[in-house]
Amino acid sequence: MKLRIRGNSIRLRLGESEIAQLAKTGRVSESIVFSALPGNQLTYAVVTSADNTEISTRLADNEITVTVPEVLGRGWASSTQVGLKHEQRINDQVSLSIVIEKDFRCLEPRPGEDQSDSFPNPAKGAACGHP
């Protein structure tokens, strides 16, 4: 799973096995370890919930959790739909943009990047453009 945070937006890209795991277990996660100190890591996860009616994100105990309504998550996982997007209102002036996408292989290989779990790229003849 790839994580991108920019400004007030979060984007997660999931590979084929991660989407299969999400559909089967309702959770997929990854961690970044910053040092050997206890608790000095950041975990990010996508979970499904039958209780949620919209996509939401929360930060607690060094974990970013993006929750997707179960029906929406299962439908997305089994379809050709590329991604899910939601604007989470924080207050009257601020919102958080949440994007969850299927990770596609680049059309031109990137040195040092493992794309073995990425989805086949549907774009024919286009350059790889991961913004």
Side-chain angles (χ1 to χ4, degrees):
M1 181 164 44
K2 297 176 183 174
L3 169 66
R4 178 181 179 201
I5 298 173
R6 184 174 184 181
N8 232 40
S9 68
I10 184 169
R11 177 180 293 192
L12 296 153
R13 288 198 171 135
L14 283 69
E16 288 188 87
S17 66
E18 293 161 331
I19 290 177
Q21 179 182 342
L22 181 65
K24 183 178 180 181
T25 68
R27 179 181 172 87
V28 63
S29 66
E30 190 87 27
S31 292
I32 304 166
V33 178
F34 291 95
S35 77
L37 296 173
N40 205 351
Q41 73 177 32
L42 174 67
T43 299
Y44 48 102
V46 178
V47 300
T48 58
S49 171
D51 298 331
N52 274 47
T53 58
E54 60 187 21
I55 297 170
S56 64
T57 301
R58 71 179 183 90
L59 172 64
D61 301 321
N62 292 352
E63 181 172 294
I64 299 169
T65 306
V66 177
T67 304
V68 178
E70 189 173 45
V71 172
L72 183 62
R74 285 193 180 163
W76 171 66
S78 63
S79 75
T80 58
Q81 181 181 355
V82 174
L84 303 171
K85 184 175 182 177
H86 181 71
E87 293 290 324
Q88 180 176 311
R89 297 292 300 155
I90 306 300
N91 59 38
D92 288 342
Q93 287 98 25
V94 179
S95 64
L96 173 66
S97 176
I98 306 164
V99 179
I100 309 163
E101 298 174 322
K102 293 176 180 172
D103 190 32
F104 293 107
R105 285 185 199 107
C106 288
L107 296 175
E108 295 180 22
R110 290 180 169 180
E113 186 171 336
D114 179 9
Q115 296 187 53
S116 61
D117 193 38
S118 299
F119 288 86
N121 196 316
K124 300 291 182 198
C128 180
H130 288 298

